[in-house]
Amino acid sequence: MSSFLKRMAVNAAGLTLGRYATKAALASPAARKMIVTAASKTARALGGAAHKTIVKRLPVVSLPARPSFLDGFGVRRPADGAQIALIDAEVVGTRDSALVPVAVDDKPVAVSDESVAKSELAVAPKKAHPVLKGVALAAGVTAGVVAGAAAFTAFAVAPRFSGNKALRAHWDEFKKYRYAHRGLHDIKQGIPENSLAAFRRAAEHGFGSELDVHLTADGQVVVVHDSHLQRLCGVDCVVEDCTLEQLRTYRLLNTEAGIPTFAEVLSCYDWNGEDELPAPLIVEVKTYGGNAAAVTEQVMKILDRHSVRAAVESFDPMALRWLRVHRPEVLRGQLAENFLTDDTTSDLSAPKKAAGTALFGNSLSRPDFIAYRFEDRKNPFVDLACNKMGAHLVTWTITSEADLITSEMEGAPGIFEGFVPTVRSLIR
């Protein structure tokens, strides 16, 4: 366990931890309590150990030993001031004899005055310098805080630890495919993102697809990226406030394509029971107004009615937590990026950005894989979760075949957009 904490401290408690994790951790009362408790307990243990180690190497203060004598009953007693003066006088007056009576183990013996002088330099109990004792204690406290922060970080970003053979087999198949971002769309050909034409095209090429789902006001699940439809449909309304009938009247990016339902998209990847299995899907659950449980439950009900292979991911840990509690057999992934450098996330507070970047939502979701922005993947928290703690990595959104190859060479399936790569992944 100690070697594990050392590795955690080296990997996760450096400058980046101070930059990303501190704001997020201090924003939560529960996290503050956890940090204080872990740090104080670890500080006491490590502080005591550091104090003992340092004190052993400190200079000591030597005090003269106090003389003793035998009383009339043969009992050894410490000498008082007058007796010490008398012994000193006797020593001065008998230098020619060079012998002085002293008591050792309650028996009178004669020793030389040279031995008496040496005895006066006998070492007293060790006393460390107070300043150095403070340094030792401070070092122990610092080590404890670092170890406590590292332990908290490790707990917060840990993925699901599962020996489930079915999940492992699911991932082994899932990682072999390349995934078209919002389908294999190409607006130049009149095929908009998240349209039925885009998903059919991806399936025909042998690619999996990544798609986005929302819950409408009347409880239907539709496939569209933005909650607010101004960019995609040119209307000032929100998907979650609209009924399916209303959404059917809108068109995507000035084309004839409409907003499809989740069931309609799944039909593009349904297995007919005879031919080769179609590629899997990555379903991103988009939550709005605290509807994580409702939308995730509806997504799973629809998936259960289709013969498709799918993994579910979300930026919202609460959606994945619902899966963790109610559908643990589903492969689930935590979406994230470096929110601190993303200008499009200005609606998020600094602590939420830091927590999202640092994958602290994993403490709720315990994901099987981390779906992280390709450009931001060289991140100590991604390294901790994936390379040290066993989570799988998926990268997004890749815009060149060179980057797609780089991701796959690192063992991470990629979600691509803007080009048509070869079908075969390098991950086999």
Side-chain angles (χ1 to χ4, degrees):
M1 185 64 180
S2 61
S3 62
F4 173 78
L5 286 177
K6 289 178 182 177
R7 291 198 304 271
M8 293 307 98
V10 170
N11 285 282
L15 293 176
T16 307
L17 177 62
R19 179 185 175 190
Y20 293 147
T22 304
K23 287 183 180 180
L26 293 180
S28 166
R32 286 198 298 268
K33 184 176 180 180
M34 182 183 296
I35 291 175
V36 171
T37 302
S40 61
K41 290 183 178 180
T42 313
R44 284 197 295 271
L46 295 183
H51 176 268
K52 291 179 181 179
T53 301
I54 295 177
V55 164
K56 288 180 180 179
R57 293 169 171 78
L58 298 178
V60 298
V61 179
S62 298
L63 298 176
R66 189 177 183 89
S68 62
F69 71 97
L70 290 174
D71 62 12
F73 298 98
V75 178
R76 184 175 63 178
R77 298 182 181 279
D80 57 22
Q83 291 167 331
I84 292 173
L86 179 60
I87 292 173
D88 289 342
E90 291 177 350
V91 170
V92 172
T94 58
R95 286 194 183 276
D96 290 341
S97 65
L99 294 176
V100 178
V102 296
V104 177
D105 294 334
D106 297 335
K107 296 181 180 180
V109 297
V111 297
S112 66
D113 57 347
E114 182 179 357
S115 298
V116 172
K118 289 181 178 180
S119 70
E120 293 177 351
L121 298 177
V123 176
K126 298 180 179 180
K127 291 186 178 180
H129 193 285
V131 174
L132 293 177
K133 285 177 65 178
V135 171
L137 182 59
V141 171
T142 302
V145 170
V146 170
F152 169 76
T153 303
F155 165 79
V157 307
R160 167 159 50 177
F161 296 107
S162 173
N164 188 296
K165 292 182 179 180
L167 281 173
R168 191 181 308 119
H170 191 176
W171 171 257
D172 287 343
E173 286 299 313
F174 179 87
K175 70 183 181 182
K176 297 177 182 178
Y177 292 88
R178 291 175 166 178
Y179 296 86
H181 188 230
R182 305 175 195 172
L184 195 59
H185 59 91
D186 186 347
I187 195 62
K188 293 179 180 179
Q189 297 185 39
I191 304 175
E193 64 181 62
N194 278 324
S195 64
L196 286 177
F199 295 117
R200 291 192 187 107
R201 184 174 181 230
E204 290 169 358
H205 278 74
F207 297 123
S209 285
E210 180 270 350
L211 56 99
D212 312 280
V213 294
H214 292 257
L215 189 66
T216 65
D218 54 347
Q220 303 298 311
V221 180
V222 295
V223 177
V224 64
H225 183 267
D226 303 350
S227 281
H228 198 284
L229 293 175
Q230 185 65 53
R231 176 183 72 89
L232 290 169
C233 302
V235 293
D236 186 14
C237 62
V238 174
V239 172
E240 284 76 10
D241 295 334
C242 299
T243 64
L244 177 59
E245 183 180 1
Q246 182 180 354
L247 293 175
R248 292 287 198 190
T249 65
Y250 302 142
R251 292 294 174 261
L252 294 169
L253 298 174
N254 297 315
T255 68
E256 292 302 313
I259 297 174
T261 65
F262 185 38
E264 290 170 343
V265 172
L266 292 181
S267 67
C268 299
Y269 282 86
D270 262 325
W271 183 46
N272 60 16
E274 297 178 359
D275 298 329
E276 184 179 350
L277 282 169
L281 295 171
I282 301 176
V283 180
E284 179 184 343
V285 175
K286 296 282 192 180
T287 62
Y288 184 88
N291 70 346
V295 63
T296 309
E297 183 177 8
Q298 289 302 313
V299 165
M300 293 311 306
K301 286 181 178 179
I302 297 171
L303 276 172
D304 289 342
R305 297 196 291 265
H306 290 264
S307 298
V308 297
R309 294 180 291 175
V312 178
E313 66 179 13
S314 182
F315 282 103
D316 189 343
M318 296 308 296
L320 302 181
R321 180 168 177 79
W322 188 93
L323 292 173
R324 178 184 176 188
V325 174
H326 300 283
R327 299 296 296 270
E329 77 280 6
V330 175
L331 195 67
R332 58 182 185 260
Q334 179 64 58
L335 268 163
E337 61 170 321
N338 186 347
F339 294 98
L340 297 171
T341 60
D342 188 350
D343 295 334
T344 65
T345 59
S346 57
D347 57 318
L348 296 177
S349 64
K352 286 184 178 180
K353 287 185 177 183
T357 301
L359 298 173
F360 282 0
N362 288 8
S363 61
L364 297 173
S365 61
R366 295 299 181 222
D368 300 296
F369 65 92
I370 306 298
Y372 219 87
R373 184 189 291 274
F374 175 76
E375 292 81 4
D376 300 337
R377 73 193 187 284
K378 300 299 184 181
N379 177 306
F381 301 101
V382 175
D383 179 67
L384 177 60
C386 297
N387 297 331
K388 302 297 189 301
M389 306 185 81
H392 307 296
L393 178 63
V394 175
T395 58
W396 59 274
T397 301
I398 294 176
T399 57
S400 72
E401 188 146 14
D403 286 345
L404 184 58
I405 290 173
T406 297
S407 181
E408 292 174 347
M409 291 295 289
E410 295 174 359
I415 300 172
F416 68 89
E417 181 180 65
F419 68 103
V420 181
T422 57
V423 176
R424 185 179 178 84
S425 169
L426 297 180
I427 304 175
R428 292 288 170 180

